[in-house]
PDB file of all heavy atoms in Angstrom:
ATOM      1  N   ASN A   1      -2.796  -0.042  -3.586  1.00 96.00           N
ATOM      2  CA  ASN A   1      -3.163  -0.862  -4.752  1.00 96.00           C
ATOM      3  C   ASN A   1      -4.446  -0.353  -5.415  1.00 96.00           C
ATOM      4  O   ASN A   1      -4.567  -0.360  -6.646  1.00 96.00           O
ATOM      5  CB  ASN A   1      -3.322  -2.331  -4.340  1.00 96.00           C
ATOM      6  CG  ASN A   1      -2.000  -3.085  -4.402  1.00 96.00           C
ATOM      7  OD1 ASN A   1      -1.302  -3.046  -5.414  1.00 96.00           O
ATOM      8  ND2 ASN A   1      -1.630  -3.746  -3.315  1.00 96.00           N
ATOM      9  N   GLN A   2      -5.402   0.119  -4.588  1.00 96.00           N
ATOM     10  CA  GLN A   2      -6.634   0.700  -5.162  1.00 96.00           C
ATOM     11  C   GLN A   2      -6.308   1.936  -6.000  1.00 96.00           C
ATOM     12  O   GLN A   2      -6.811   2.096  -7.120  1.00 96.00           O
ATOM     13  CB  GLN A   2      -7.609   1.070  -4.033  1.00 96.00           C
ATOM     14  CG  GLN A   2      -8.281  -0.137  -3.389  1.00 96.00           C
ATOM     15  CD  GLN A   2      -8.971   0.224  -2.073  1.00 96.00           C
ATOM     16  OE1 GLN A   2      -8.845   1.337  -1.558  1.00 96.00           O
ATOM     17  NE2 GLN A   2      -9.690  -0.739  -1.511  1.00 96.00           N
ATOM     18  N   TYR A   3      -5.447   2.793  -5.460  1.00 96.00           N
ATOM     19  CA  TYR A   3      -5.043   3.997  -6.206  1.00 96.00           C
ATOM     20  C   TYR A   3      -4.312   3.609  -7.491  1.00 96.00           C
ATOM     21  O   TYR A   3      -4.516   4.215  -8.551  1.00 96.00           O
ATOM     22  CB  TYR A   3      -4.123   4.867  -5.347  1.00 96.00           C
ATOM     23  CG  TYR A   3      -4.841   5.832  -4.430  1.00 96.00           C
ATOM     24  CD1 TYR A   3      -4.607   5.813  -3.056  1.00 96.00           C
ATOM     25  CD2 TYR A   3      -5.720   6.794  -4.935  1.00 96.00           C
ATOM     26  CE1 TYR A   3      -5.239   6.715  -2.200  1.00 96.00           C
ATOM     27  CE2 TYR A   3      -6.365   7.701  -4.088  1.00 96.00           C
ATOM     28  CZ  TYR A   3      -6.119   7.647  -2.732  1.00 96.00           C
ATOM     29  OH  TYR A   3      -6.752   8.537  -1.904  1.00 96.00           O
ATOM     30  N   ALA A   4      -3.439   2.596  -7.425  1.00 96.00           N
ATOM     31  CA  ALA A   4      -2.661   2.176  -8.605  1.00 96.00           C
ATOM     32  C   ALA A   4      -3.593   1.724  -9.730  1.00 96.00           C
ATOM     33  O   ALA A   4      -3.329   1.971 -10.905  1.00 96.00           O
ATOM     34  CB  ALA A   4      -1.699   1.056  -8.213  1.00 96.00           C
ATOM     35  N   ARG A   5      -4.704   1.067  -9.371  1.00 95.00           N
ATOM     36  CA  ARG A   5      -5.664   0.615 -10.402  1.00 95.00           C
ATOM     37  C   ARG A   5      -6.488   1.798 -10.927  1.00 95.00           C
ATOM     38  O   ARG A   5      -6.735   1.916 -12.131  1.00 95.00           O
ATOM     39  CB  ARG A   5      -6.582  -0.475  -9.836  1.00 95.00           C
ATOM     40  CG  ARG A   5      -5.797  -1.749  -9.536  1.00 95.00           C
ATOM     41  CD  ARG A   5      -6.609  -3.021  -9.497  1.00 95.00           C
ATOM     42  NE  ARG A   5      -5.726  -4.155  -9.197  1.00 95.00           N
ATOM     43  CZ  ARG A   5      -5.004  -4.796 -10.100  1.00 95.00           C
ATOM     44  NH1 ARG A   5      -5.054  -4.436 -11.370  1.00 95.00           N
ATOM     45  NH2 ARG A   5      -4.222  -5.801  -9.751  1.00 95.00           N
ATOM     46  N   GLU A   6      -6.884   2.685 -10.023  1.00 94.00           N
ATOM     47  CA  GLU A   6      -7.667   3.865 -10.453  1.00 94.00           C
ATOM     48  C   GLU A   6      -6.866   4.737 -11.420  1.00 94.00           C
ATOM     49  O   GLU A   6      -7.413   5.307 -12.369  1.00 94.00           O
ATOM     50  CB  GLU A   6      -8.058   4.714  -9.233  1.00 94.00           C
ATOM     51  CG  GLU A   6      -9.224   4.135  -8.436  1.00 94.00           C
ATOM     52  CD  GLU A   6      -9.443   4.877  -7.123  1.00 94.00           C
ATOM     53  OE1 GLU A   6      -9.028   6.056  -7.028  1.00 94.00           O
ATOM     54  OE2 GLU A   6     -10.005   4.278  -6.191  1.00 94.00           O
ATOM     55  N   LEU A   7      -5.549   4.828 -11.181  1.00 94.00           N
ATOM     56  CA  LEU A   7      -4.704   5.686 -12.027  1.00 94.00           C
ATOM     57  C   LEU A   7      -4.177   4.947 -13.260  1.00 94.00           C
ATOM     58  O   LEU A   7      -3.437   5.522 -14.052  1.00 94.00           O
ATOM     59  CB  LEU A   7      -3.528   6.230 -11.215  1.00 94.00           C
ATOM     60  CG  LEU A   7      -3.888   7.204 -10.079  1.00 94.00           C
ATOM     61  CD1 LEU A   7      -2.674   7.515  -9.225  1.00 94.00           C
ATOM     62  CD2 LEU A   7      -4.468   8.500 -10.638  1.00 94.00           C
ATOM     63  N   GLY A   8      -4.512   3.653 -13.380  1.00 93.00           N
ATOM     64  CA  GLY A   8      -4.088   2.877 -14.554  1.00 93.00           C
ATOM     65  C   GLY A   8      -2.654   2.398 -14.497  1.00 93.00           C
ATOM     66  O   GLY A   8      -2.110   1.907 -15.501  1.00 93.00           O
ATOM     67  N   ILE A   9      -2.005   2.541 -13.325  1.00 94.00           N
ATOM     68  CA  ILE A   9      -0.619   2.053 -13.196  1.00 94.00           C
ATOM     69  C   ILE A   9      -0.637   0.525 -13.192  1.00 94.00           C
ATOM     70  O   ILE A   9       0.246  -0.119 -13.769  1.00 94.00           O
ATOM     71  CB  ILE A   9       0.027   2.626 -11.910  1.00 94.00           C
ATOM     72  CG1 ILE A   9       0.205   4.138 -12.075  1.00 94.00           C
ATOM     73  CG2 ILE A   9       1.364   1.956 -11.602  1.00 94.00           C
ATOM     74  CD1 ILE A   9       0.520   4.885 -10.797  1.00 94.00           C
ATOM     75  N   LEU A  10      -1.647  -0.052 -12.539  1.00 92.00           N
ATOM     76  CA  LEU A  10      -1.864  -1.507 -12.606  1.00 92.00           C
ATOM     77  C   LEU A  10      -3.043  -1.782 -13.534  1.00 92.00           C
ATOM     78  O   LEU A  10      -4.132  -1.223 -13.360  1.00 92.00           O
ATOM     79  CB  LEU A  10      -2.180  -2.074 -11.204  1.00 92.00           C
ATOM     80  CG  LEU A  10      -1.033  -2.152 -10.194  1.00 92.00           C
ATOM     81  CD1 LEU A  10      -1.556  -2.690  -8.867  1.00 92.00           C
ATOM     82  CD2 LEU A  10       0.111  -3.033 -10.690  1.00 92.00           C
ATOM     83  N   LYS A  11      -2.835  -2.608 -14.547  1.00 91.00           N
ATOM     84  CA  LYS A  11      -3.916  -2.989 -15.469  1.00 91.00           C
ATOM     85  C   LYS A  11      -4.681  -4.190 -14.893  1.00 91.00           C
ATOM     86  O   LYS A  11      -4.245  -4.818 -13.927  1.00 91.00           O
ATOM     87  CB  LYS A  11      -3.328  -3.375 -16.838  1.00 91.00           C
ATOM     88  CG  LYS A  11      -2.403  -2.339 -17.440  1.00 91.00           C
ATOM     89  CD  LYS A  11      -3.167  -1.106 -17.900  1.00 91.00           C
ATOM     90  CE  LYS A  11      -2.313  -0.105 -18.654  1.00 91.00           C
ATOM     91  NZ  LYS A  11      -1.383   0.635 -17.832  1.00 91.00           N
ATOM     92  N   ASP A  12      -5.804  -4.535 -15.526  1.00 88.00           N
ATOM     93  CA  ASP A  12      -6.654  -5.637 -15.033  1.00 88.00           C
ATOM     94  C   ASP A  12      -5.870  -6.935 -14.872  1.00 88.00           C
ATOM     95  O   ASP A  12      -6.049  -7.665 -13.907  1.00 88.00           O
ATOM     96  CB  ASP A  12      -7.840  -5.871 -15.985  1.00 88.00           C
ATOM     97  CG  ASP A  12      -8.827  -4.717 -15.902  1.00 88.00           C
ATOM     98  OD1 ASP A  12      -8.728  -3.944 -14.927  1.00 88.00           O
ATOM     99  OD2 ASP A  12      -9.682  -4.593 -16.801  1.00 88.00           O
ATOM    100  N   LYS A  13      -4.999  -7.214 -15.859  1.00 90.00           N
ATOM    101  CA  LYS A  13      -4.281  -8.510 -15.837  1.00 90.00           C
ATOM    102  C   LYS A  13      -3.117  -8.510 -14.839  1.00 90.00           C
ATOM    103  O   LYS A  13      -2.592  -9.551 -14.473  1.00 90.00           O
ATOM    104  CB  LYS A  13      -3.755  -8.847 -17.235  1.00 90.00           C
ATOM    105  CG  LYS A  13      -2.760  -7.832 -17.796  1.00 90.00           C
ATOM    106  CD  LYS A  13      -2.262  -8.261 -19.160  1.00 90.00           C
ATOM    107  CE  LYS A  13      -1.337  -7.302 -19.863  1.00 90.00           C
ATOM    108  NZ  LYS A  13      -0.524  -6.387 -19.125  1.00 90.00           N
ATOM    109  N   ASP A  14      -2.708  -7.332 -14.351  1.00 91.00           N
ATOM    110  CA  ASP A  14      -1.537  -7.244 -13.450  1.00 91.00           C
ATOM    111  C   ASP A  14      -1.873  -7.710 -12.048  1.00 91.00           C
ATOM    112  O   ASP A  14      -2.970  -7.429 -11.534  1.00 91.00           O
ATOM    113  CB  ASP A  14      -1.030  -5.793 -13.361  1.00 91.00           C
ATOM    114  CG  ASP A  14      -0.452  -5.300 -14.679  1.00 91.00           C
ATOM    115  OD1 ASP A  14      -0.065  -6.156 -15.499  1.00 91.00           O
ATOM    116  OD2 ASP A  14      -0.407  -4.074 -14.892  1.00 91.00           O
ATOM    117  N   ALA A  15      -0.922  -8.381 -11.432  1.00 92.00           N
ATOM    118  CA  ALA A  15      -1.069  -8.724 -10.005  1.00 92.00           C
ATOM    119  C   ALA A  15      -0.858  -7.469  -9.172  1.00 92.00           C
ATOM    120  O   ALA A  15      -0.196  -6.518  -9.613  1.00 92.00           O
ATOM    121  CB  ALA A  15      -0.028  -9.779  -9.620  1.00 92.00           C
ATOM    122  N   ASN A  16      -1.425  -7.446  -7.977  1.00 95.00           N
ATOM    123  CA  ASN A  16      -1.233  -6.314  -7.065  1.00 95.00           C
ATOM    124  C   ASN A  16       0.244  -6.162  -6.694  1.00 95.00           C
ATOM    125  O   ASN A  16       1.002  -7.130  -6.723  1.00 95.00           O
ATOM    126  CB  ASN A  16      -2.020  -6.546  -5.760  1.00 95.00           C
ATOM    127  CG  ASN A  16      -3.465  -6.088  -5.904  1.00 95.00           C
ATOM    128  OD1 ASN A  16      -3.835  -5.408  -6.860  1.00 95.00           O
ATOM    129  ND2 ASN A  16      -4.296  -6.461  -4.946  1.00 95.00           N
ATOM    130  N   PHE A  17       0.613  -4.934  -6.323  1.00 94.00           N
ATOM    131  CA  PHE A  17       1.914  -4.747  -5.688  1.00 94.00           C
ATOM    132  C   PHE A  17       1.904  -5.484  -4.357  1.00 94.00           C
ATOM    133  O   PHE A  17       0.881  -5.522  -3.664  1.00 94.00           O
ATOM    134  CB  PHE A  17       2.170  -3.253  -5.414  1.00 94.00           C
ATOM    135  CG  PHE A  17       2.350  -2.412  -6.647  1.00 94.00           C
ATOM    136  CD1 PHE A  17       1.667  -1.207  -6.791  1.00 94.00           C
ATOM    137  CD2 PHE A  17       3.224  -2.804  -7.660  1.00 94.00           C
ATOM    138  CE1 PHE A  17       1.839  -0.414  -7.922  1.00 94.00           C
ATOM    139  CE2 PHE A  17       3.403  -2.016  -8.797  1.00 94.00           C
ATOM    140  CZ  PHE A  17       2.702  -0.833  -8.930  1.00 94.00           C
ATOM    141  N   THR A  18       3.027  -6.042  -3.976  1.00 93.00           N
ATOM    142  CA  THR A  18       3.118  -6.663  -2.644  1.00 93.00           C
ATOM    143  C   THR A  18       3.330  -5.554  -1.606  1.00 93.00           C
ATOM    144  O   THR A  18       3.683  -4.424  -1.952  1.00 93.00           O
ATOM    145  CB  THR A  18       4.300  -7.641  -2.541  1.00 93.00           C
ATOM    146  OG1 THR A  18       5.517  -6.881  -2.650  1.00 93.00           O
ATOM    147  CG2 THR A  18       4.261  -8.697  -3.639  1.00 93.00           C
ATOM    148  N   GLY A  19       3.136  -5.905  -0.343  1.00 93.00           N
ATOM    149  CA  GLY A  19       3.388  -4.947   0.737  1.00 93.00           C
ATOM    150  C   GLY A  19       4.818  -4.451   0.700  1.00 93.00           C
ATOM    151  O   GLY A  19       5.096  -3.257   0.893  1.00 93.00           O
ATOM    152  N   ALA A  20       5.749  -5.384   0.434  1.00 90.00           N
ATOM    153  CA  ALA A  20       7.178  -5.007   0.391  1.00 90.00           C
ATOM    154  C   ALA A  20       7.444  -4.038  -0.763  1.00 90.00           C
ATOM    155  O   ALA A  20       8.242  -3.108  -0.621  1.00 90.00           O
ATOM    156  CB  ALA A  20       8.041  -6.258   0.242  1.00 90.00           C
ATOM    157  N   ASP A  21       6.777  -4.234  -1.916  1.00 92.00           N
ATOM    158  CA  ASP A  21       6.922  -3.298  -3.043  1.00 92.00           C
ATOM    159  C   ASP A  21       6.526  -1.887  -2.598  1.00 92.00           C
ATOM    160  O   ASP A  21       7.234  -0.910  -2.839  1.00 92.00           O
ATOM    161  CB  ASP A  21       5.996  -3.676  -4.215  1.00 92.00           C
ATOM    162  CG  ASP A  21       6.375  -4.984  -4.876  1.00 92.00           C
ATOM    163  OD1 ASP A  21       7.538  -5.398  -4.734  1.00 92.00           O
ATOM    164  OD2 ASP A  21       5.501  -5.602  -5.521  1.00 92.00           O
ATOM    165  N   ILE A  22       5.355  -1.823  -1.962  1.00 95.00           N
ATOM    166  CA  ILE A  22       4.787  -0.518  -1.606  1.00 95.00           C
ATOM    167  C   ILE A  22       5.594   0.165  -0.509  1.00 95.00           C
ATOM    168  O   ILE A  22       5.723   1.384  -0.477  1.00 95.00           O
ATOM    169  CB  ILE A  22       3.295  -0.678  -1.225  1.00 95.00           C
ATOM    170  CG1 ILE A  22       2.490  -0.884  -2.518  1.00 95.00           C
ATOM    171  CG2 ILE A  22       2.762   0.515  -0.448  1.00 95.00           C
ATOM    172  CD1 ILE A  22       1.093  -1.353  -2.347  1.00 95.00           C
ATOM    173  N   ARG A  23       6.192  -0.621   0.374  1.00 94.00           N
ATOM    174  CA  ARG A  23       6.928  -0.019   1.500  1.00 94.00           C
ATOM    175  C   ARG A  23       8.420   0.173   1.208  1.00 94.00           C
ATOM    176  O   ARG A  23       9.152   0.662   2.057  1.00 94.00           O
ATOM    177  CB  ARG A  23       6.767  -0.869   2.761  1.00 94.00           C
ATOM    178  CG  ARG A  23       5.348  -0.925   3.290  1.00 94.00           C
ATOM    179  CD  ARG A  23       5.298  -1.585   4.648  1.00 94.00           C
ATOM    180  NE  ARG A  23       5.859  -2.920   4.641  1.00 94.00           N
ATOM    181  CZ  ARG A  23       5.183  -4.024   4.350  1.00 94.00           C
ATOM    182  NH1 ARG A  23       3.898  -3.943   4.017  1.00 94.00           N
ATOM    183  NH2 ARG A  23       5.765  -5.211   4.375  1.00 94.00           N
ATOM    184  N   ASN A  24       8.862  -0.209   0.029  1.00 89.00           N
ATOM    185  CA  ASN A  24      10.284  -0.059  -0.296  1.00 89.00           C
ATOM    186  C   ASN A  24      10.636   1.427  -0.344  1.00 89.00           C
ATOM    187  O   ASN A  24      10.064   2.173  -1.124  1.00 89.00           O
ATOM    188  CB  ASN A  24      10.580  -0.736  -1.636  1.00 89.00           C
ATOM    189  CG  ASN A  24      11.954  -1.371  -1.623  1.00 89.00           C
ATOM    190  OD1 ASN A  24      12.870  -0.879  -0.996  1.00 89.00           O
ATOM    191  ND2 ASN A  24      12.084  -2.470  -2.327  1.00 89.00           N
ATOM    192  N   GLY A  25      11.566   1.843   0.505  1.00 91.00           N
ATOM    193  CA  GLY A  25      11.912   3.262   0.575  1.00 91.00           C
ATOM    194  C   GLY A  25      11.146   4.024   1.631  1.00 91.00           C
ATOM    195  O   GLY A  25      11.389   5.210   1.853  1.00 91.00           O
ATOM    196  N   MET A  26      10.209   3.358   2.310  1.00 95.00           N
ATOM    197  CA  MET A  26       9.384   4.038   3.316  1.00 95.00           C
ATOM    198  C   MET A  26      10.063   4.057   4.685  1.00 95.00           C
ATOM    199  O   MET A  26      10.574   3.052   5.153  1.00 95.00           O
ATOM    200  CB  MET A  26       8.022   3.331   3.455  1.00 95.00           C
ATOM    201  CG  MET A  26       7.168   3.872   4.606  1.00 95.00           C
ATOM    202  SD  MET A  26       5.737   2.816   4.983  1.00 95.00           S
ATOM    203  CE  MET A  26       4.441   3.665   4.108  1.00 95.00           C
ATOM    204  N   THR A  27      10.061   5.217   5.301  1.00 95.00           N
ATOM    205  CA  THR A  27      10.333   5.322   6.744  1.00 95.00           C
ATOM    206  C   THR A  27       9.005   5.715   7.364  1.00 95.00           C
ATOM    207  O   THR A  27       8.324   6.615   6.862  1.00 95.00           O
ATOM    208  CB  THR A  27      11.381   6.410   7.045  1.00 95.00           C
ATOM    209  OG1 THR A  27      12.571   6.121   6.310  1.00 95.00           O
ATOM    210  CG2 THR A  27      11.718   6.454   8.526  1.00 95.00           C
ATOM    211  N   ALA A  28       8.619   5.041   8.441  1.00 97.00           N
ATOM    212  CA  ALA A  28       7.343   5.372   9.091  1.00 97.00           C
ATOM    213  C   ALA A  28       7.469   5.181  10.589  1.00 97.00           C
ATOM    214  O   ALA A  28       8.242   4.351  11.074  1.00 97.00           O
ATOM    215  CB  ALA A  28       6.216   4.498   8.538  1.00 97.00           C
ATOM    216  N   ILE A  29       6.702   5.982  11.327  1.00 97.00           N
ATOM    217  CA  ILE A  29       6.600   5.825  12.782  1.00 97.00           C
ATOM    218  C   ILE A  29       5.115   5.737  13.107  1.00 97.00           C
ATOM    219  O   ILE A  29       4.340   6.606  12.694  1.00 97.00           O
ATOM    220  CB  ILE A  29       7.221   7.032  13.519  1.00 97.00           C
ATOM    221  CG1 ILE A  29       8.678   7.237  13.086  1.00 97.00           C
ATOM    222  CG2 ILE A  29       7.139   6.834  15.031  1.00 97.00           C
ATOM    223  CD1 ILE A  29       9.226   8.618  13.406  1.00 97.00           C
ATOM    224  N   VAL A  30       4.741   4.680  13.799  1.00 97.00           N
ATOM    225  CA  VAL A  30       3.340   4.490  14.206  1.00 97.00           C
ATOM    226  C   VAL A  30       3.319   4.413  15.724  1.00 97.00           C
ATOM    227  O   VAL A  30       3.934   3.533  16.319  1.00 97.00           O
ATOM    228  CB  VAL A  30       2.750   3.196  13.598  1.00 97.00           C
ATOM    229  CG1 VAL A  30       1.302   3.026  14.039  1.00 97.00           C
ATOM    230  CG2 VAL A  30       2.854   3.217  12.072  1.00 97.00           C
ATOM    231  N   SER A  31       2.615   5.372  16.332  1.00 96.00           N
ATOM    232  CA  SER A  31       2.571   5.429  17.795  1.00 96.00           C
ATOM    233  C   SER A  31       1.113   5.340  18.239  1.00 96.00           C
ATOM    234  O   SER A  31       0.274   6.117  17.782  1.00 96.00           O
ATOM    235  CB  SER A  31       3.196   6.744  18.268  1.00 96.00           C
ATOM    236  OG  SER A  31       3.029   6.906  19.650  1.00 96.00           O
ATOM    237  N   VAL A  32       0.811   4.375  19.113  1.00 95.00           N
ATOM    238  CA  VAL A  32      -0.564   4.253  19.614  1.00 95.00           C
ATOM    239  C   VAL A  32      -0.571   4.462  21.129  1.00 95.00           C
ATOM    240  O   VAL A  32       0.393   4.153  21.818  1.00 95.00           O
ATOM    241  CB  VAL A  32      -1.212   2.892  19.261  1.00 95.00           C
ATOM    242  CG1 VAL A  32      -1.298   2.710  17.761  1.00 95.00           C
ATOM    243  CG2 VAL A  32      -0.496   1.718  19.904  1.00 95.00           C
ATOM    244  N   LYS A  33      -1.700   5.009  21.604  1.00 92.00           N
ATOM    245  CA  LYS A  33      -1.930   5.109  23.050  1.00 92.00           C
ATOM    246  C   LYS A  33      -3.095   4.166  23.351  1.00 92.00           C
ATOM    247  O   LYS A  33      -4.217   4.376  22.884  1.00 92.00           O
ATOM    248  CB  LYS A  33      -2.288   6.539  23.440  1.00 92.00           C
ATOM    249  CG  LYS A  33      -1.230   7.585  23.088  1.00 92.00           C
ATOM    250  CD  LYS A  33      -0.067   7.558  24.037  1.00 92.00           C
ATOM    251  CE  LYS A  33       0.825   8.780  23.927  1.00 92.00           C
ATOM    252  NZ  LYS A  33       1.423   9.029  22.643  1.00 92.00           N
ATOM    253  N   HIS A  34      -2.808   3.113  24.098  1.00 90.00           N
ATOM    254  CA  HIS A  34      -3.798   2.051  24.343  1.00 90.00           C
ATOM    255  C   HIS A  34      -4.113   1.971  25.836  1.00 90.00           C
ATOM    256  O   HIS A  34      -3.196   1.916  26.665  1.00 90.00           O
ATOM    257  CB  HIS A  34      -3.223   0.710  23.858  1.00 90.00           C
ATOM    258  CG  HIS A  34      -4.261  -0.352  23.675  1.00 90.00           C
ATOM    259  ND1 HIS A  34      -4.999  -0.845  24.723  1.00 90.00           N
ATOM    260  CD2 HIS A  34      -4.692  -1.007  22.565  1.00 90.00           C
ATOM    261  CE1 HIS A  34      -5.840  -1.764  24.264  1.00 90.00           C
ATOM    262  NE2 HIS A  34      -5.678  -1.870  22.963  1.00 90.00           N
ATOM    263  N   PRO A  35      -5.408   1.952  26.204  1.00 87.00           N
ATOM    264  CA  PRO A  35      -5.738   1.925  27.638  1.00 87.00           C
ATOM    265  C   PRO A  35      -5.379   0.603  28.329  1.00 87.00           C
ATOM    266  O   PRO A  35      -5.173   0.570  29.535  1.00 87.00           O
ATOM    267  CB  PRO A  35      -7.261   2.144  27.655  1.00 87.00           C
ATOM    268  CG  PRO A  35      -7.726   1.766  26.287  1.00 87.00           C
ATOM    269  CD  PRO A  35      -6.598   2.048  25.349  1.00 87.00           C
ATOM    270  N   ASP A  36      -5.293  -0.481  27.568  1.00 87.00           N
ATOM    271  CA  ASP A  36      -5.019  -1.781  28.209  1.00 87.00           C
ATOM    272  C   ASP A  36      -4.140  -2.643  27.301  1.00 87.00           C
ATOM    273  O   ASP A  36      -4.576  -3.650  26.750  1.00 87.00           O
ATOM    274  CB  ASP A  36      -6.357  -2.494  28.499  1.00 87.00           C
ATOM    275  CG  ASP A  36      -6.150  -3.796  29.260  1.00 87.00           C
ATOM    276  OD1 ASP A  36      -5.114  -3.929  29.937  1.00 87.00           O
ATOM    277  OD2 ASP A  36      -7.017  -4.688  29.151  1.00 87.00           O
TER     278      ASP A  36
END
């Protein structure tokens, strides 16, 4: 959303993209190694 405003894709009056908007089409893998 910060990038969208910096690039002018979102104007001042526009609401932010939702998380679902931004992740639509995304495949991601998040792997953590946690000691406890």
